[in-house]
Amino acid sequence: MLRYVVAFGFLVVCWAQNCQVANIQVMQNFNKSRYAGIWYATAKKDPVGLFLLDNIVAQYFVPDSAPMMAEAKGRVIILNNWNMCAHMFATFEDTPEPAKFKMTYWGAASYLQQGNDEHWVIDTDYDNYAVHYSCRQVAGDGTCEDSYSFIFSRHPTGLRPQDMLTVNRKKQEICLLGKYKPVIHNGFCTNQS
């Protein structure tokens, strides 16, 4: 019995250590040129505040001798009841780790959010899935107080079944398993264009 209690205590300690932002592993040998292109959000974990609700599509660009850039569209509700398609833009400053970026973002209209966030690519196979993570505020114990995350697919129909195991393992590694909401795509932003 004591052996199981010690083992359980060890797992709890390991779990807490793995939830510290400094321990989160990102994609090794990340290639932003291969990452460029269109990604469809299939699931998301929201941060505090106004955030894209659904119909989220992001397109990443890697211009010659310029930082990576992106534009994203998604449905938001503003003024408590007005549904609209938000158009967001971002630039990504490189850091010493190729899969970690400093992202500056802004909306096409003044009422949309703007700011600076970390943008980490946790994992991707470039052709089918990508796991994105951002921590906006680190708590005193090193865990994240305000994070958001996207699960992206290259396919508008969503993730392939064979990618789910890897994606779920990555959700657990960033301590967000069970905290995602599905992202629907019903053409709202296409119809607004």
Side-chain angles (χ1 to χ4, degrees):
M1 177 77 167
L2 181 58
R3 190 175 356 175
Y4 295 116
V5 172
V6 171
F8 179 72
F10 177 71
L11 287 174
V12 170
V13 170
C14 287
W15 179 259
Q17 289 173 336
N18 287 339
C19 287
Q20 292 183 334
V21 176
N23 292 336
I24 293 176
Q25 299 296 307
V26 295
M27 178 77 179
Q28 297 300 303
N29 303 312
F30 178 69
N31 182 326
K32 60 186 174 185
S33 294
R34 289 187 63 198
Y35 193 67
I38 296 175
W39 290 97
Y40 300 89
T42 64
K44 68 185 177 88
K45 188 274 180 194
D46 291 339
V48 174
L50 179 69
F51 202 60
L52 299 174
L53 298 171
D54 51 40
N55 291 280
I56 302 165
V57 178
Q59 184 166 9
Y60 291 83
F61 305 92
V62 183
D64 292 337
S65 65
M68 184 166 72
M69 300 184 318
E71 61 179 272
K73 289 183 181 180
R75 184 177 68 92
V76 295
I77 297 175
I78 61 169
L79 305 174
N80 294 324
N81 64 356
W82 186 27
N83 284 284
M84 67 168 291
C85 184
H87 199 166
M88 306 294 290
F89 302 91
T91 55
F92 300 86
E93 180 185 330
D94 291 335
T95 70
E97 289 193 59
K100 290 184 176 183
F101 299 91
K102 301 279 187 187
M103 177 178 70
T104 302
Y105 63 95
W106 61 96
S110 61
Y111 50 80
L112 294 174
Q113 251 188 337
Q114 60 184 9
N116 299 291
D117 286 342
E118 302 289 328
H119 180 94
W120 295 0
V121 179
I122 301 299
D123 193 27
T124 184
D125 70 350
Y126 301 103
D127 298 319
N128 297 290
Y129 73 89
V131 180
H132 157 270
Y133 174 81
S134 182
C135 179
R136 287 183 166 172
Q137 184 171 351
V138 178
D141 64 359
T143 61
C144 190
E145 261 181 33
D146 184 18
S147 66
Y148 64 93
S149 177
F150 286 107
I151 306 302
F152 285 119
S153 173
R154 287 285 194 193
H155 314 289
T157 54
L159 294 175
R160 304 174 312 160
Q162 59 265 42
D163 298 325
M164 291 302 297
L165 183 61
T166 301
V167 167
N168 284 335
R169 188 174 68 245
K170 294 302 176 180
K171 287 178 183 179
Q172 184 171 352
E173 289 175 10
I174 60 176
C175 303
L176 295 178
L177 187 63
K179 297 186 179 185
Y180 288 81
K181 298 175 187 172
V183 175
I184 63 162
H185 289 271
N186 61 13
F188 181 85
C189 285
T190 304
N191 297 335
Q192 299 291 308
S193 298

